[in-house]
Amino acid sequence: MTKSTKKPWSTKDVMTQIYDMKLWGGKTFDFYSGSGSHDPKTINPYLKSVITFLESHNNVLVVCDLGCGDFNIGKQLVSYTKKYIAVDIVDALIERNKKLFKQNNVEFQCLDISKDELPKADCLILRQVLQHISNAEIKAVVKKLNHYKYLILTEHIPLGTFTPNKDIISGQGIRLKQKSGVDLLEAPFHLEIKNEILMDEHILEHNKGRIVTTLYKLF
């Protein structure tokens, strides 16, 4: 008699369940990407710094947002870009966004960023996305980054020094409980860059770490 084996959940399955079960909060919302995408103390300084960057390029950059979520952040950046390509892994979320946000220069795509070919763009936004996925998936994403001139990366990391890039299973949680966080310049990722600029750093209350946004020029 053979044992039945359950097929492991894919990252798409996990992320879909997170939204279906409101695991990031927002019980009154149809889709909610967490307080990190809605708390004014967190998002307003971020938006200011990114808008300043986009304006410095005369609002002509094509931007690709990997992990656009409920689009509460992206919708406030669209007007500062030539084109805004918003990507997420959850089908129902992308279909919802297509119905709600119909600007001429916005395009929504449902992709698994670790497996699928990524859209062409000048600037890539990865905002609190890598922190939720495994090292293997991050490695797959990093291999695709050399097609972009700029990367705006936001990660939730511990206060002070920490051990970077401890592995996790892709899902709701992040590496903070392991006193770790994602650092693409460190092993096992070793992202090659031309330079980097700290765009924004927000210290969270109650010793819950910090949210750091860094601009990387990749070529």
Side-chain angles (χ1 to χ4, degrees):
M1 191 171 180
T2 59
K3 291 183 179 179
S4 62
T5 57
K6 290 185 178 180
K7 183 180 178 181
W9 277 41
S10 68
T11 301
K12 179 187 280 284
D13 293 334
V14 172
M15 295 303 172
T16 299
Q17 184 190 57
I18 288 169
Y19 280 106
D20 286 346
M21 299 184 66
K22 314 287 186 185
L23 298 181
W24 284 330
K27 300 296 183 183
T28 61
F29 291 72
D30 57 346
F31 288 90
Y32 186 77
S33 295
S35 60
S37 293
H38 289 266
D39 178 13
K41 291 182 181 179
T42 300
I43 68 173
N44 288 347
Y46 170 84
L47 287 169
K48 182 179 179 180
S49 64
V50 175
I51 289 170
T52 297
F53 167 74
L54 296 174
E55 287 182 328
S56 74
H57 289 78
N58 301 310
N59 302 339
V60 297
L61 294 181
V62 176
V63 172
C64 181
D65 181 352
L66 299 184
C68 66
D70 61 23
F71 211 54
N72 189 55
I73 299 291
K75 69 181 182 182
Q76 302 178 71
L77 299 174
V78 171
S79 61
Y80 300 95
T81 70
K82 180 180 180 180
K83 183 178 182 181
Y84 199 99
I85 306 167
V87 172
D88 207 281
I89 198 172
V90 178
D91 298 272
L93 178 56
I94 287 295
E95 291 305 312
R96 172 259 198 190
N97 287 348
K98 286 180 180 179
K99 294 175 183 177
L100 289 181
F101 307 103
K102 296 184 178 181
Q103 295 97 317
N104 290 333
N105 63 329
V106 175
E107 176 184 324
F108 291 99
Q109 296 188 26
C110 186
L111 300 172
D112 182 330
I113 64 172
S114 70
K115 296 178 180 178
D116 298 326
E117 182 178 351
L118 301 182
K120 294 180 180 180
D122 304 303
C123 178
L124 193 69
I125 289 177
L126 270 168
R127 186 174 186 278
Q128 293 181 252
V129 172
L130 301 184
Q131 63 192 38
H132 288 289
I133 63 177
S134 69
N135 283 2
E137 288 181 293
I138 295 176
K139 281 183 181 180
V141 174
V142 168
K143 289 180 180 179
K144 307 174 189 182
L145 297 185
N146 58 3
H147 297 293
Y148 302 93
K149 186 172 184 179
Y150 300 106
L151 167 64
I152 299 175
L153 179 70
T154 304
E155 289 293 328
H156 187 169
I157 59 178
L159 297 171
T161 58
F162 61 93
T163 301
N165 306 327
K166 290 184 179 180
D167 204 3
I168 62 169
I169 297 171
S170 300
Q172 177 188 5
I174 63 175
R175 292 164 174 79
L176 200 68
K177 290 183 179 180
Q178 300 183 48
K179 297 182 180 178
S180 183
V182 174
D183 185 341
L184 290 187
L185 305 188
E186 297 293 331
F189 310 126
H190 300 296
L191 176 66
E192 295 185 6
I193 64 169
K194 292 297 184 182
N195 58 51
E196 62 181 294
I197 297 172
L198 177 64
M199 297 182 74
D200 179 53
E201 181 172 5
H202 176 59
I203 307 298
L204 299 173
E205 297 176 351
H206 309 301
N207 198 34
K208 291 186 178 179
R210 54 197 167 118
I211 298 176
V212 177
T213 299
T214 306
L215 170 66
Y216 294 112
K217 187 176 182 181
L218 301 181
F219 65 83

